[in-house]
Amino acid sequence: MATIEYRNVKKVFGDDTVALEDFSLKVEDGEFVVIVGPSGCGKSTALRMLAGLESVTGGEVLIDDEVVNDLTPQERDIAMVFQNYALYPHKTVRANMDFPLRMMGIEKEEREKRIAKTADILDITDYLDRKPKQLSGGQRQRAAMGRALVRDPKVSLLDEPLSNLDAKLRVEIRAEMADLQEKIGLTTVYVTHDQVEAMTLGHRVAVLSQGRLQQCAPPQEIYDHPANLFVATFIGSPRMNVFKATLGRENDGYTLSFGDHILPFQSGRPGDDTDQLEELIDKPVLAGFRPEAFCPADEVDESRRIQGKVENAEALGHELIVYFDAGVEIHLPPEVQAREKDESRRGKQERALVARLPSARPPKSGDDITLGLNTDQVYLFDPDGRAL
């Protein structure tokens, strides 16, 4: 096993496109770190530079405290699993796993021991004599992981390995991968655009946007204490509701004004800085609420209720997701706005608050709705998107 470190890494492609800028991240021995972000943010580029498949424009990439910028992929002792499995279709699973060991010059007896051990860990012993076309998607993915892990590498790199699987199978393989990590403790960097994978697999999650690292922390910390507006709106599904607001003073507490609504706001979230809140009185801020901050109206007093008109409702069995217009303009980060191509759709999105509620009969589009809002769960950001 090994440590991994990116030190102020930069990657510029030939047309002056900056894929990564001042990227610094350290992965400890045996740690599972997930790099997550939208398409084009630089996450796969970061992984490919670590693997030696892309050159480094600036900065240093280290494995076990050794700078590997100029080493070939073969010299780095890494294993990489790709989105498309990359199995030889004419070879059996056993032969696919055996191939890299033969290239390393390992004796046949030792090769057989490694294949048997790895197959047992991945539960693919029964498939060793099958060819890839005879396997399901999940079995193929495990076979691809087996071919990578049988070499006993220092580092394991996974580039969106579950994206070709259906939703049910992704859940199953995620659980297997988490169990596998506990068994072997291999230093792993995993790249994905799927925040659910990031939150369920990673010891830490590194969030990228436009080539820059926004935050790296354990999954729950990322969710509870996002560093900025991008992280807050990217992590969490449905997305956080963020809108322009003004903080006011009322007796021993505060008020939050947005649209036609003025709600009492008590500073109750862990980490709130009361002195900082005092400096924000009567100044414009961005306020955010997770969908779960909403609740049935009868669970709070009248001062904490908000009215709106239902745009859409999704009954998911165990919960109800309601999109409603409360006369509040949603504030989206520039990166999110840039991805919204359809202007008419974006206009609708920018006025829809989203609430996650207990399972109930879904309201119809156009219905009036009154919900409670737990204002002690508010997140505040400055106009530039920095968390306050």
Side-chain angles (χ1 to χ4, degrees):
M1 293 185 288
T3 59
I4 296 167
E5 187 173 2
Y6 296 87
R7 289 182 184 168
N8 308 111
V9 171
K10 182 175 184 177
K11 176 63 181 178
V12 181
F13 288 102
D15 59 354
D16 294 331
T17 299
V18 179
L20 275 180
E21 183 73 50
D22 195 27
F23 179 64
S24 295
L25 175 67
K26 185 165 185 179
V27 182
E28 300 295 342
D29 188 13
E31 190 176 22
F32 194 122
V33 169
V34 180
I35 302 177
V36 65
S39 297
C41 71
K43 56 188 184 296
S44 290
T45 299
L47 198 72
R48 290 173 63 82
M49 286 195 294
L50 179 57
L53 302 177
E54 292 283 358
S55 61
V56 177
T57 305
E60 296 177 329
V61 177
L62 298 89
I63 298 177
D64 256 354
D65 298 322
E66 177 188 1
V67 177
V68 298
N69 290 30
D70 299 324
L71 297 184
T72 66
Q74 293 83 0
E75 294 172 319
R76 299 187 187 202
D77 195 11
I78 55 95
M80 191 161 183
V81 180
F82 298 92
Q83 177 180 342
N84 62 0
Y85 312 135
L87 294 167
Y88 295 112
H90 61 287
K91 294 179 181 288
T92 63
V93 173
R94 187 189 305 276
N96 266 282
M97 295 173 67
D98 186 57
F99 181 77
L101 300 179
R102 285 195 291 112
M103 293 298 99
M104 295 168 65
I106 296 175
E107 296 294 327
K108 182 177 179 181
E109 184 178 351
E110 176 63 19
R111 298 202 310 264
E112 291 176 349
K113 286 181 180 178
R114 288 199 189 188
I115 291 170
K117 179 182 177 181
T118 305
D120 181 59
I121 291 173
L122 293 169
D123 195 22
I124 55 173
T125 303
D126 293 341
Y127 313 133
L128 286 176
D129 296 317
R130 297 186 190 180
K131 293 183 178 179
K133 67 180 180 181
Q134 298 172 300
L135 304 177
S136 68
Q139 291 163 354
R140 266 181 252 169
Q141 188 57 268
R142 277 183 279 170
M145 292 176 64
R147 191 182 66 174
L149 298 177
V150 74
R151 293 176 45 249
D152 192 22
K154 286 183 177 180
V155 173
S156 175
L157 311 180
L158 298 98
D159 190 4
E160 307 217 33
L162 308 185
S163 59
N164 287 339
L165 306 181
D166 62 57
K168 182 175 183 296
L169 194 52
R170 280 203 301 271
V171 173
E172 294 175 2
I173 299 296
R174 279 205 311 265
E176 291 178 5
M177 290 182 68
D179 184 55
L180 178 64
Q181 170 65 18
E182 290 297 320
K183 286 181 180 178
I184 64 177
L186 184 62
T187 306
T188 301
V189 178
Y190 184 109
V191 160
T192 182
H193 66 277
D194 187 332
Q195 58 168 292
V196 176
E197 288 179 18
M199 298 293 282
T200 55
L201 286 172
H203 296 155
R204 286 188 298 147
V205 176
V207 183
L208 260 65
S209 175
Q210 298 183 329
R212 289 186 175 274
L213 181 63
Q214 305 296 308
Q215 186 175 3
C216 184
Q220 197 61 49
E221 183 177 337
I222 289 275
Y223 190 83
D224 290 339
H225 301 287
N228 56 42
L229 187 59
F230 176 81
V231 177
T233 52
F234 185 78
I235 298 296
S237 181
R239 51 130 172 95
M240 180 186 286
N241 303 286
V242 181
F243 41 82
K244 295 179 181 179
T246 302
L247 198 64
R249 204 74 172 87
E250 184 179 83
N251 300 325
D252 295 330
Y254 303 92
T255 59
L256 199 63
S257 304
F258 52 98
D260 295 329
H261 311 281
I262 302 177
L263 275 66
F265 157 51
Q266 295 293 329
S267 173
R269 290 183 55 251
D272 275 350
D273 185 335
T274 303
D275 291 337
Q276 190 178 43
L277 290 178
E278 288 293 331
E279 294 175 2
L280 296 174
I281 298 298
D282 297 328
K283 294 181 180 178
V285 295
L286 297 173
F289 291 96
R290 297 280 185 196
E292 53 268 30
F294 291 96
C295 62
D298 59 6
E299 293 185 6
V300 298
D301 59 55
E302 290 188 10
S303 67
R304 289 179 172 81
R305 294 176 186 175
I306 185 170
Q307 294 79 36
K309 192 172 290 291
V310 175
E311 290 190 351
N312 187 30
E314 301 171 351
L316 304 179
H318 63 292
E319 65 183 8
L320 178 66
I321 306 298
V322 178
Y323 298 85
F324 64 102
D325 184 349
V328 178
E329 182 176 348
I330 297 298
H331 183 92
L332 300 177
E335 303 93 317
V336 176
Q337 292 184 23
R339 296 200 304 270
E340 295 294 336
K341 306 288 187 183
D342 186 339
E343 291 297 329
S344 61
R345 179 171 172 267
R346 189 176 78 183
K348 187 175 182 179
Q349 274 197 339
E350 288 182 346
R351 295 191 65 83
L353 297 177
V354 56
R356 175 184 279 117
L357 302 168
S359 180
R361 183 184 298 277
K364 296 178 182 178
S365 179
D367 283 356
D368 292 326
I369 190 170
T370 300
L371 295 176
L373 182 56
N374 293 307
T375 52
D376 58 344
Q377 297 181 29
V378 66
Y379 292 79
L380 297 176
F381 307 89
D382 70 17
D384 293 326
R386 291 185 292 267
L388 299 171

